[in-house]
Structures are given as C-alpha cells and as structure tokens.
Amino acid sequence: CVICLRVSAMFEWLNTFSVFLAAVVAMVAGYLWYSPVLFGNKWMKLSGWSEKEMKKNKAGMGRMYFLSFVAALITSFVLGFVFVWEGVKTAYSAVSISIILWIGFVMTTSFTQEIFSRHQNWELFALDSGHRLVALVATGLALFYLGY
C-alpha cells in the first residue's frame, strides 16, 4: 500500500516535540484572544456569560482546557503532516497553507454550523472564526520555526 508507506514515513519525519510546542502556542493564542485585554469581554457579552457565571463554572474549566489542548494537539499533528507532505520550506508557505486550510475546512464548517443555529450571532461567529484563524496560523508558524 503506497499511501500506507507514505503516511508511516511521515510519522518518522514529523518532530513530535515541535508538534507539542505548536499546540501550546495555539493555546496561548487562545488565552490571549479571549483575555480581557483583547476580546474576552466582548466574547462573554456575545455568548451570554456573566463574570459571576464564569467564576461559578471555574471548577469544570480544567477539563475544558485539557480537551481544548487535545484538539490543538491533533490540529498541530495534522498540520505538521500537511507540511511534511508538501515539503514546506518558507514561513510564507506555512502561513499560506494554514490560511487555505482554515478557509477550506474550519471557517466553512463553522459557517454551516452558524447557518443552522437557532440563535445566529454573526458577530460571535466572526470573533470565534478569527480566533481559529489566528491559532492555526500561529500553529503553522510554530511548526515551521521549530522544525516540523
């Protein structure tokens, strides 16, 4: 199986430490994006959360952050595979591929989800989609500079 050999070879070529660190970079990007310094207060308002509710739900946040990190790790791993497959050699290519994948897979699925949502909120969609774009580009740059 030619495809099986190529995929197994990518496991050998992919730097798992870089994949891990790139996932951490994505989490940091999310932390900054949703912090009060950037869009945290706006996100809380658009999502219908109060500060009191956020503090009340703090106990379950560890699990949510863990699951978010697992998702970031999977994203980083898959993006690293794409970089290996394409032989990315420049930061420009890393950013371009990250943006193309965001447009083709992330933004479009989020858009479709919003279309069918009972409570459409296009401002929240834009804010969350912007985060996903920034996180994916940050992941791509981290993978590139850390030697995917």
Side-chain angles (χ1 to χ4, degrees):
C1 171
V2 175
I3 293 175
C4 297
L5 290 173
R6 189 153 186 191
V7 169
S8 67
M10 284 193 291
F11 276 103
E12 293 172 19
W13 298 335
L14 197 57
N15 181 340
T16 51
F17 184 67
S18 294
V19 167
F20 178 83
L21 287 179
V24 170
V25 167
M27 293 296 290
V28 170
Y31 174 80
L32 292 172
W33 188 268
Y34 290 109
S35 73
V37 174
L38 292 178
F39 304 108
N41 294 330
K42 182 82 169 168
W43 177 84
M44 279 183 21
K45 182 181 174 193
L46 292 171
S47 298
W49 285 91
S50 69
E51 220 171 295
K52 189 177 181 179
E53 289 172 312
M54 292 294 281
K55 286 180 183 175
K56 184 180 175 185
N57 290 319
K58 237 179 187 171
M61 294 301 245
R63 181 175 182 270
M64 286 188 243
Y65 282 119
F66 173 75
L67 293 173
S68 294
F69 181 72
V70 170
L73 200 55
I74 293 168
T75 300
S76 180
F77 203 70
V78 171
L79 189 57
F81 272 157
V82 172
F83 285 9
V84 167
W85 203 303
E86 288 300 312
V88 170
K89 302 223 184 315
T90 65
Y92 177 81
S93 294
V95 170
S96 297
I97 288 171
S98 299
I99 292 171
I100 289 166
L101 292 175
W102 174 80
I103 292 169
F105 297 105
V106 179
M107 192 278 296
T108 53
T109 54
S110 297
F111 179 76
T112 302
Q113 182 179 351
E114 192 65 31
I115 290 170
F116 288 96
S117 173
R118 285 183 70 196
H119 308 287
Q120 291 180 349
N121 186 331
W122 294 104
E123 196 174 358
L124 181 60
F125 164 79
L127 194 147
D128 287 337
S129 294
H131 160 253
R132 291 181 191 112
L133 173 61
V134 167
L136 197 57
V137 169
T139 301
L141 285 171
L143 284 168
F144 176 76
Y145 285 114
L146 294 169
Y148 64 91

